[in-house]
Amino acid sequence: MSKKIFFFDLDGTLLNKQKEITPDTMEALHKFTDAGNHFCINTGRAIDSAKAVYRGLGLDFKGSFLCGSNGTEIYSVDEGRYVYKTGIPLEMVVPIFNLADEYGIHCHTYNETHIVSRHDGECMDFYRRVIKTPLIVTDDVMAQLQNPPSKMIAIELHDHDKQERFRKALYEMTEGKLTLLYSNPYYMEIFPSIAGKGSAVKRLADILGVAIEDTYAAGDEQNDISMIEAAGHGIAMINGTDLVKKSADFITTEDNDHDGLAPFILEAID
């Protein structure tokens, strides 16, 4: 039997509202991975945050991978190393921060261990309710970056039109070299156009020698669409957005609080 890979978004998909994996879904995951298949978290979060979630949930599946920052990082849990990594060119970082300041939009990025931002405040407090990565606030962000950052994120909690004006200006400034998409109504993800969750599906399948028809992906938000479309079996959560549902091969009958994915995980074993 050929090996399979199942790619999971976290919030609104694999995790319930309490940020937990419900028992029936956990049992299905154990059966799936015990059969020799690969478990992969494919998230907009950076790898350090994905690792914290993996450990915090008590997961220990042989052959696990973490795809972080919307496909810019792929990490082998078993080997404890990156198998792929790209990032935003360093020369773009300061101009992006400057443009965000001009438009009054909160923006931050990441190094290997910390969130790096020019500003603290309401948006950062909102973001760090869930993301517990430590924070560095500094006017000199470049002093904290030795390598191209995996992604940047722009946050606007009150005025989506302002966020959209910033997105259009940033797209023009970077000449389409970066992907700019919303992972929820407040967060705009900024990452290299060669990445994306869908690219991570194809890249990891190629690395592992798994046929695309043996790949599965589940999600609920706009940044999940590329992986749902790239996978051999794309699954949208019933609690997901209409755009996600339109892009999927299947839609769950139950939401993320009621083991919506469990039947699909079990069916993937056969």
Side-chain angles (χ1 to χ4, degrees):
M1 185 177 67
S2 59
K3 290 189 175 182
K4 299 170 182 177
I5 315 173
F6 211 127
F7 295 84
F8 298 94
D9 174 53
L10 288 174
D11 301 313
T13 303
L14 185 64
L15 305 183
N16 64 12
K17 290 177 183 175
Q18 287 71 46
K19 309 300 181 183
E20 299 168 339
I21 299 177
T22 45
D24 285 356
T25 299
M26 184 69 84
E27 182 181 354
L29 288 172
H30 277 290
K31 290 179 178 178
F32 179 78
T33 53
D34 286 348
N37 300 306
H38 295 284
F39 168 88
C40 182
I41 291 173
N42 197 357
T43 179
R45 302 186 192 194
I47 286 292
D48 66 320
S49 181
K51 286 181 190 175
V53 171
Y54 187 89
R55 292 191 299 264
L57 293 171
L59 303 183
D60 186 21
F61 304 133
K62 183 175 174 57
S64 289
F65 288 84
L66 308 174
C67 296
S69 299
N70 293 301
T72 63
E73 310 169 292
I74 304 177
Y75 182 84
S76 168
V77 176
D78 290 358
E79 298 177 62
R81 70 178 183 93
Y82 290 94
V83 297
Y84 176 78
K85 191 171 175 61
T86 189
I88 296 173
L90 286 170
E91 63 271 17
M92 287 187 175
V93 173
V94 168
I96 292 171
F97 272 112
N98 289 345
L99 189 69
D101 284 349
E102 179 184 334
Y103 277 78
I105 296 290
H106 169 85
C107 188
H108 67 252
T109 190
Y110 310 81
N111 62 21
E112 295 296 333
T113 58
H114 287 72
I115 300 167
V116 181
S117 178
R118 285 180 175 175
H119 308 287
D120 204 346
E122 181 188 22
C123 291
M124 186 61 78
D125 289 343
F126 186 86
Y127 181 75
R128 296 185 72 219
R129 293 177 313 156
V130 174
I131 306 300
K132 303 304 183 184
T133 305
L135 169 66
I136 295 172
V137 179
T138 175
D139 290 332
D140 187 6
V141 294
M142 295 307 295
Q144 304 298 326
L145 302 177
Q146 282 71 53
N147 300 299
S150 58
K151 72 168 187 175
M152 300 175 74
I153 188 168
I155 302 175
E156 171 53 47
L157 300 178
H158 306 293
D159 188 345
H160 187 73
D161 289 340
K162 183 171 73 169
Q163 177 88 305
E164 266 294 283
R165 290 192 293 273
F166 170 67
R167 184 188 65 79
K168 291 174 182 176
L170 180 56
Y171 185 84
E172 288 184 12
M173 187 184 81
T174 58
E175 300 177 330
K177 294 175 183 176
L178 302 177
T179 295
L180 316 172
L181 57 77
Y182 294 101
S183 56
N184 67 38
Y186 311 117
Y187 298 173
M188 188 178 76
E189 310 279 342
I190 304 167
F191 55 90
S193 293
I194 60 169
K197 289 189 176 187
S199 295
V201 169
K202 296 174 183 176
R203 190 166 281 119
L204 184 56
D206 186 58
I207 290 169
L208 296 175
V210 173
I212 283 294
E213 55 263 32
D214 289 325
T215 61
Y216 299 73
D220 69 309
E221 279 286 357
Q222 182 184 344
N223 66 331
D224 299 318
I225 290 174
S226 66
M227 74 166 176
I228 287 171
E229 292 179 338
H233 306 264
I235 302 156
M237 303 301 295
I238 196 167
N239 51 280
T241 65
D242 289 341
L243 280 175
V244 173
K245 292 174 185 175
K246 288 178 182 177
S247 71
D249 302 306
F250 308 98
I251 301 172
T252 65
T253 55
E254 300 290 342
D255 64 19
N256 60 310
D257 284 326
H258 298 91
D259 296 297
L261 285 178
F264 292 90
I265 298 167
L266 294 173
E267 287 172 14
I269 298 171
D270 300 328

